[in-house]
Amino acid sequence: MTSISGREIPDYIQGYGPVKPFQGAFSDVGTKTRTAAKLTSVIPNHEKVLPGLDEALDKLGITDGMTISFHHHLRNGDFILNKVMESLAARGIKDLTVAASSIFPVHAPLVEHMEKGVVTGLVTNYMSGPVAEAVSKGKLKKPAVMQTHGGRARAIESGDLHIDVAFLAAPTADTYGNINGIYGKSACGSLGYAAADAEYADRTIAITDNLVPYPACPIEISQVFIDYVVEVDSIGDPKGIVSGTTKITRDPVALIIAKRAAEVIKASGLVREGMSFQTGAGGTSLAVAAELKTIMRQEGVVGSFASGGITGYLVEMLEEGLFRTLFDVQCFDLKAIQSYRDNPAHQFMSASMYGNPHTKGAVVNHLDIMILGATEIDTDFNVNVTTGSDGVIMGGSGGHSDTAAGSKLAIVVTNLMKARLPIIKDKVMTVTTPGESVDVLVTERGIAVNPQRTDLLERLRRTKLPLMTIKELKGLAETITGIPKAIEPSDEIVAVVEYRDGSVIDVVRKVK
Amino acid sequence: MTSISGREIPDYIQGYGPVKPFQGAFSDVGTKTRTAAKLTSVIPNHEKVLPGLDEALDKLGITDGMTISFHHHLRNGDFILNKVMESLAARGIKDLTVAASSIFPVHAPLVEHMEKGVVTGLVTNYMSGPVAEAVSKGKLKKPAVMQTHGGRARAIESGDLHIDVAFLAAPTADTYGNINGIYGKSACGSLGYAAADAEYADRTIAITDNLVPYPACPIEISQVFIDYVVEVDSIGDPKGIVSGTTKITRDPVALIIAKRAAEVIKASGLVREGMSFQTGAGGTSLAVAAELKTIMRQEGVVGSFASGGITGYLVEMLEEGLFRTLFDVQCFDLKAIQSYRDNPAHQFMSASMYGNPHTKGAVVNHLDIMILGATEIDTDFNVNVTTGSDGVIMGGSGGHSDTAAGSKLAIVVTNLMKARLPIIKDKVMTVTTPGESVDVLVTERGIAVNPQRTDLLERLRRTKLPLMTIKELKGLAETITGIPKAIEPSDEIVAVVEYRDGSVIDVVRKVK
């Protein structure tokens, strides 16, 4: 047994292997290796386009026990993972590990593949819906491995996660495998999460519903990394791929939280020339961006960049001149795709460049302000975005731990209570992001600063913001909700939560 | 002794190692490995900018016997190689191997470093001027290794050429090492030849005379590959970096050759929708482009791409709609830089994507028509662009062998005689590009088709073009010039000519 932040984690986990325990956000840096990559070189006149997926599967040589990968740029509109898995199941392949950068409700058919032993391993940065529930119920043979966006790129590039075959859903591909996500009926914009898969998998295939003559333009993923190309009718449902527009919340409580968060940012001294900012696509997060916009205008500052999954809202800030550039790993809406297509200041960012801790410097290292969500947060500021109040997996880090670690000011914004349950706990059910990376918690009833940030606390004390200790905030919530009964999961480990450096920060146990 | 195309090459060359003999242009394909790369990861707030080159050299830990690399995008205007070598020499470092993608007359100070043992090895794709002459005279301790543009990328990516420290001349760099060649007083455009160095060297440093706030935009080489950044007054002399404009020859003989070459292209059947084309920046090569332009207009075809070092002339063809896109590894003039900066259809191409035979498919594999020069060509169609008529090194393959191998129609254009010497020989002094890759020779007096290309010969026989065998052409020249006395070099090997796959296609011997 290894104790991490007071948690009991075995030294060895069946189906996962030896545990490298989490030792702190920056304990594992220095000399690193990007692993060697195998490839098959070709001569002129080699034809990469195959007539269909079945012919491709013949060529790809997938056998029992392999690891195959998918990216999640088509989100809940993705057809590719299901199509490929259906074909592989029909071929009687067993014991596959699916390394999908995220899993959505649309991927429900995976549950049956898990039950039948077609899929026995799952590596992902985020999962929600039936697959997440099935994993929580112990339906996957091996524990799922839950990584971060930067951690996945690290795992692939370091060789910790070896991919035998990468399936690349391609909104546009040419006949020699150059890919972009910008054009085509299934356009999704940046393909930042797919880059490492393309570069390091033994074999790669682009599956497209927009096959164009050579060469595609622009090129996000190069022909030098692609073995085969297959055209299909449709790679996804546009309605599930992007939202038309992402919108700011109208919920008055969320708006109060956003206003307070903006005041914290202002008081922190980080609103200054060259500042950088990231936020999610959620309503409250966008509301913080709206508040920040007003402050930036008032102060007359021009930021250096905003980053992450990009929304139309950040595009507007770019176009207004509030930021000089955007770093885009993924487009969240049509406006973001359009801007990424047309504006050279809206730049591509791979997942590795975004958050891989084992590069010569990821973008998150340069991030000033990060707005984060939380399912739970505990009195040590550890954040859970992996499991819900019922202990069932309903998310995962994504870029949460990456940006929290890199940013100068990581702000968790959340209602103090959700569904009549308090958000602050003595111990979160699952640690996704360690408390050392979280600087401040902003709720509608009060603001708690991580006591390690004495500098920030001092600055905020000069304001009229309602500061409390996190224990006081917790007490406040509990006077309203009472103290909820703790969930008691079983001993069986169903998922291993890897920190971005590949150490194990927590495990998820089967729900009873 | 190994016999390659009738040449005697030892199995082992002192200072080079065992010889892998050239066995044909596509004999070495299939399963390949991109090598592992070492890197040093950093945490947030790590400062990459160092006060000066000396402080950088302290940090970089360069010791005797290491390999250091440079790119040649600043061409004959480059200050960086000389600056760095001067500093290393002053530190008493010895026995360095300089891996510079090309060497120009401006790099003359290298000769003294060779004489003093500071530099004992040289790996390059092209060299002209005092360094080339000094190598030919045997002033370098080990034989120089002469690669191709694609072959150098292959050597670096495969690990055959391990770089300890890469020095990256950066027309623009930000404080975290993002680089582009587009902006700044030393702008050179695409940095295609520098990509592999940045990705695979153990340590990397960007040296810039245009240090900009984070983040640079656009980014050609990412922060994730750069350890340090240093600002200097000037990285180069703009007059030597690019020409104002590249111009078509006015020489009437060259214009005849160009016209004939264009007629060959037309007769080949390759002027068709989606065609692709590459030519150099020399006056005759550009004249071929001008002729082709007229033909393309007449036929009403739109080509897929033009590639290579890009000139304003190809930019005009892009802008006129004769090509859909350009692939740019290097900009030759200001118009090309401007277009590369402003036109998204003018795309970046790394040297690896350009011509590395050990990828999943380089751009040269898709090339239809390639216009090539020659110093000599022999009756087996082997081409020499490495040594002059005096046996002294005055060039090198650059992309010659890469494009010849990849293209469907590789046309050598040259005067039948130069400086009263015939160009066609029984055997070229040095084989740069093997005859099997060369399809046709166009001179002002006649056209010779490689007999292996019976299909092409048949097509050309239907035209009125002056076809001859290459031996007839050779005889024709010799009736005018007489048979020149063959040069007799010494036995000492001063350079090893590597084919793009890393095999040895020839050696250069010391001039007496």
Side-chain angles (χ1 to χ4, degrees):
Chain A
M1 286 287 182
T2 301
S3 177
I4 301 165
S5 323
R7 269 144 222 286
E8 303 284 295
I9 295 172
D11 298 326
Y12 185 92
I13 298 171
Q14 193 65 36
Y16 174 79
V19 167
K20 181 180 124 190
F22 174 73
Q23 305 275 7
F26 300 109
S27 65
D28 184 15
V29 292
T31 304
K32 297 292 163 190
T33 304
R34 287 203 312 277
T35 194
K38 210 178 86 180
L39 64 97
T40 306
S41 66
V42 301
I43 62 172
N45 301 317
H46 169 82
E47 183 61 62
K48 290 189 182 183
V49 178
L50 300 176
L53 188 56
D54 257 327
E55 290 81 354
L57 294 179
D58 290 344
K59 292 257 189 190
L60 290 166
I62 295 170
T63 55
D64 292 0
M66 279 191 172
T67 296
I68 60 177
S69 88
F70 302 88
H71 68 73
H72 74 279
H73 287 282
L74 304 184
R75 282 183 285 267
N76 203 38
D78 174 47
F79 290 169
I80 295 304
L81 189 151
N82 291 345
K83 269 189 197 174
V84 169
M85 292 315 304
E86 190 185 343
S87 300
L88 291 173
R91 285 169 178 247
I93 314 275
K94 297 279 179 193
D95 199 21
L96 294 170
T97 291
V98 170
S101 51
S102 294
I103 295 282
F104 291 94
V106 72
H107 299 122
L110 257 186
V111 176
E112 194 183 329
H113 300 313
M114 283 157 51
E115 288 166 345
K116 293 196 172 160
V118 177
V119 174
T120 53
L122 195 55
V123 185
T124 192
N125 313 340
Y126 175 96
M127 54 176 146
S128 62
V131 176
E133 287 154 25
V135 169
S136 280
K137 286 179 192 158
K139 289 195 178 170
L140 187 68
K141 188 176 171 194
K142 297 178 216 164
V145 180
M146 303 203 62
Q147 303 181 318
T148 75
H149 286 332
R152 181 178 196 269
R154 181 208 57 75
I156 295 170
E157 294 186 6
S158 70
D160 285 358
L161 174 56
H162 178 79
I163 299 168
D164 294 294
V165 178
F167 292 89
L168 298 154
T172 292
D174 69 32
T175 51
Y176 213 48
N178 292 297
I179 297 170
N180 72 55
I182 292 172
Y183 297 105
K185 62 183 176 185
S186 306
C188 62
S190 170
L191 294 172
Y193 295 124
D197 302 49
E199 291 170 24
Y200 286 88
D202 287 350
R203 298 209 154 221
T204 54
I205 178 165
I207 305 176
T208 190
D209 52 9
N210 186 35
L211 184 66
V212 299
Y214 183 85
C217 179
I219 294 168
E220 286 188 84
I221 292 174
S222 165
Q223 62 187 45
V224 301
F225 300 121
I226 303 299
D227 290 299
Y228 302 112
V229 179
V230 159
E231 192 177 21
V232 295
D233 287 340
S234 173
I235 61 169
D237 174 6
K239 286 197 294 293
I241 297 173
V242 283
S243 2
T245 52
T246 36
K247 279 183 189 146
I248 294 173
T249 182
R250 289 183 181 182
D251 173 51
V253 174
L255 288 173
I256 290 171
I257 295 169
K259 201 166 182 61
R260 293 257 165 89
E263 283 163 5
V264 168
I265 293 170
K266 189 174 176 183
S268 75
L270 289 171
V271 177
R272 56 185 185 186
E273 202 63 19
M275 63 180 283
S276 57
F277 176 69
Q278 181 169 334
T279 187
T284 311
S285 300
L286 287 179
V288 180
E291 294 289 341
L292 179 64
K293 187 175 178 176
T294 307
I295 296 172
M296 288 177 77
R297 275 182 191 148
Q298 282 165 356
E299 309 269 320
V301 301
V302 175
S304 53
F305 71 91
S307 54
I310 298 294
T311 58
Y313 206 82
L314 291 173
V315 168
E316 281 170 20
M317 291 176 82
L318 173 72
E319 289 173 353
E320 198 184 315
L322 295 175
F323 290 107
R324 281 191 280 109
T325 171
L326 300 179
F327 278 126
D328 191 339
V329 69
Q330 173 183 38
C331 297
F332 278 127
D333 56 31
L334 291 171
K335 188 160 187 173
I337 295 173
Q338 200 171 34
S339 163
Y340 177 62
R341 187 185 67 206
D342 297 333
N343 189 344
H346 188 151
Q347 303 199 77
F348 174 80
M349 166 173 80
S350 70
S352 186
M353 186 179 177
Y354 174 26
N356 178 354
H358 295 166
T359 71
K360 292 177 178 179
V363 167
V364 295
N365 287 3
H366 251 275
L367 196 53
D368 288 334
I369 302 148
M370 180 66 207
I371 308 301
L372 296 164
T375 312
E376 300 177 313
I377 182 166
D378 68 24
T379 50
D380 294 323
F381 284 83
N382 296 307
V383 173
N384 174 17
V385 289
T386 303
T387 47
S389 55
D390 53 0
V392 175
I393 297 168
M394 43 55 70
S397 177
H400 200 285
S401 325
D402 299 312
T403 51
S407 59
K408 290 187 180 59
L409 179 64
I411 304 175
V412 169
V413 292
T414 177
N415 289 38
L416 190 59
M417 294 153 285
K418 284 183 195 164
R420 293 169 185 270
L421 288 172
I423 295 302
I424 306 170
K425 304 286 167 72
D426 281 327
K427 290 207 177 302
V428 289
M429 168 79 71
T430 311
V431 179
T432 313
T433 295
E436 63 170 294
S437 297
V438 175
D439 299 302
V440 53
L441 166 66
V442 177
T443 72
E444 74 280 19
R445 299 292 291 268
I447 294 169
V449 177
N450 189 326
Q452 290 179 20
R453 288 297 304 271
T454 49
D455 59 323
L456 183 64
L457 200 55
E458 207 168 293
R459 279 175 175 273
L460 293 186
R461 280 199 182 121
R462 288 182 223 136
T463 68
K464 289 180 179 166
L465 287 165
L467 294 184
M468 298 185 195
T469 67
I470 195 162
K471 285 186 181 169
E472 286 168 350
L473 264 178
K474 174 171 176 282
L476 184 63
E478 287 171 354
T479 58
I480 300 164
T481 60
I483 299 173
K485 223 175 119 181
I487 307 233
E488 280 189 31
S490 72
D491 285 341
E492 190 183 333
I493 293 172
V494 295
V496 177
V497 182
E498 280 190 358
Y499 190 64
R500 53 201 299 250
D501 62 4
S503 64
V504 174
I505 192 164
D506 210 342
V507 294
V508 179
R509 294 176 197 271
K510 186 174 166 178
V511 286
K512 276 179 185 167
Chain B
M1 285 288 182
T2 303
S3 178
I4 301 165
S5 323
R7 270 143 224 285
E8 301 286 296
I9 294 172
D11 298 326
Y12 184 92
I13 299 172
Q14 193 64 37
Y16 174 79
V19 166
K20 182 181 125 190
F22 174 74
Q23 306 274 7
F26 300 108
S27 65
D28 183 16
V29 291
T31 305
K32 297 293 164 191
T33 305
R34 287 203 313 276
T35 193
K38 210 177 85 181
L39 65 97
T40 306
S41 67
V42 300
I43 61 173
N45 300 315
H46 169 82
E47 183 61 64
K48 290 188 182 184
V49 178
L50 300 175
L53 188 56
D54 258 327
E55 289 82 355
L57 293 178
D58 291 344
K59 293 257 189 189
L60 289 166
I62 296 171
T63 55
D64 293 1
M66 279 190 171
T67 296
I68 60 176
S69 88
F70 302 89
H71 68 74
H72 75 279
H73 288 282
L74 305 184
R75 282 182 284 268
N76 204 38
D78 174 46
F79 290 168
I80 294 305
L81 190 149
N82 291 345
K83 270 190 198 176
V84 169
M85 292 315 303
E86 191 185 341
S87 301
L88 291 173
R91 286 170 177 245
I93 313 275
K94 298 278 178 193
D95 200 21
L96 293 171
T97 292
V98 169
S101 51
S102 293
I103 295 282
F104 291 94
V106 72
H107 299 122
L110 256 187
V111 176
E112 197 185 326
H113 299 313
M114 283 156 49
E115 288 167 344
K116 294 195 170 159
V118 177
V119 174
T120 54
L122 195 57
V123 185
T124 191
N125 311 342
Y126 175 96
M127 54 177 147
S128 62
V131 176
E133 288 155 24
V135 168
S136 280
K137 286 177 190 159
K139 289 194 179 173
L140 186 70
K141 189 176 170 195
K142 297 177 216 167
V145 180
M146 304 203 62
Q147 303 181 318
T148 75
H149 286 331
R152 181 178 196 269
R154 180 208 58 75
I156 294 170
E157 294 186 5
S158 69
D160 285 358
L161 174 56
H162 177 79
I163 299 169
D164 294 293
V165 179
F167 292 89
L168 299 154
T172 292
D174 69 30
T175 51
Y176 213 50
N178 292 297
I179 297 171
N180 72 56
I182 292 171
Y183 296 105
K185 62 183 178 186
S186 306
C188 61
S190 170
L191 294 173
Y193 295 124
D197 303 49
E199 290 169 26
Y200 285 88
D202 286 349
R203 299 210 152 220
T204 54
I205 178 166
I207 305 176
T208 189
D209 53 8
N210 187 34
L211 185 66
V212 299
Y214 183 87
C217 178
I219 294 168
E220 286 187 86
I221 292 174
S222 165
Q223 61 186 46
V224 301
F225 300 122
I226 304 299
D227 290 298
Y228 302 112
V229 178
V230 159
E231 192 178 21
V232 296
D233 287 341
S234 174
I235 62 168
D237 174 7
K239 288 197 293 293
I241 298 173
V242 283
S243 5
T245 53
T246 36
K247 281 182 187 145
I248 294 173
T249 183
R250 289 182 179 183
D251 173 52
V253 174
L255 287 173
I256 290 170
I257 296 169
K259 203 167 180 61
R260 292 256 166 88
E263 282 163 6
V264 169
I265 292 170
K266 189 173 176 182
S268 74
L270 289 171
V271 178
R272 56 185 184 185
E273 202 64 17
M275 63 180 283
S276 57
F277 176 68
Q278 181 169 333
T279 186
T284 312
S285 299
L286 287 180
V288 180
E291 294 290 341
L292 180 64
K293 188 175 177 175
T294 307
I295 296 171
M296 288 176 77
R297 276 181 191 149
Q298 283 166 355
E299 308 270 320
V301 301
V302 175
S304 53
F305 70 91
S307 54
I310 298 294
T311 59
Y313 207 81
L314 291 174
V315 169
E316 281 170 22
M317 292 176 82
L318 173 72
E319 290 173 353
E320 198 183 313
L322 294 174
F323 291 106
R324 281 190 280 109
T325 170
L326 300 179
F327 277 126
D328 192 339
V329 69
Q330 171 183 39
C331 297
F332 277 128
D333 56 30
L334 291 172
K335 189 161 187 171
I337 295 173
Q338 200 170 36
S339 162
Y340 178 62
R341 187 185 65 207
D342 297 334
N343 188 344
H346 187 150
Q347 304 198 78
F348 174 80
M349 166 173 81
S350 70
S352 186
M353 185 178 177
Y354 174 26
N356 177 355
H358 294 165
T359 69
K360 292 178 178 179
V363 168
V364 295
N365 286 3
H366 251 274
L367 197 54
D368 288 335
I369 304 148
M370 179 68 209
I371 308 300
L372 296 165
T375 313
E376 301 177 313
I377 182 167
D378 67 24
T379 49
D380 294 323
F381 285 83
N382 296 309
V383 173
N384 173 17
V385 289
T386 303
T387 48
S389 56
D390 53 1
V392 176
I393 298 167
M394 43 55 72
S397 176
H400 200 285
S401 324
D402 300 310
T403 51
S407 59
K408 290 188 179 60
L409 179 64
I411 304 176
V412 169
V413 292
T414 178
N415 288 39
L416 191 58
M417 293 151 287
K418 284 182 194 165
R420 293 170 184 270
L421 288 172
I423 295 301
I424 306 171
K425 304 286 167 69
D426 281 328
K427 288 207 177 303
V428 288
M429 168 81 68
T430 311
V431 179
T432 313
T433 294
E436 65 171 290
S437 296
V438 176
D439 299 302
V440 55
L441 166 66
V442 177
T443 73
E444 73 279 19
R445 299 292 292 269
I447 294 168
V449 176
N450 188 326
Q452 289 179 21
R453 288 296 306 270
T454 48
D455 58 323
L456 184 64
L457 200 55
E458 208 168 292
R459 279 175 174 273
L460 293 185
R461 278 198 183 123
R462 287 182 224 137
T463 69
K464 289 179 180 169
L465 287 165
L467 294 184
M468 298 186 195
T469 67
I470 195 162
K471 285 185 181 170
E472 285 168 351
L473 263 179
K474 175 171 176 281
L476 184 63
E478 286 171 354
T479 57
I480 299 164
T481 61
I483 298 173
K485 222 175 119 183
I487 307 231
E488 282 190 29
S490 71
D491 285 342
E492 190 183 332
I493 292 172
V494 295
V496 177
V497 183
E498 279 190 0
Y499 190 64
R500 53 201 299 253
D501 62 4
S503 65
V504 174
I505 191 163
D506 209 342
V507 294
V508 179
R509 292 175 199 270
K510 186 174 166 179
V511 288
K512 277 180 184 166

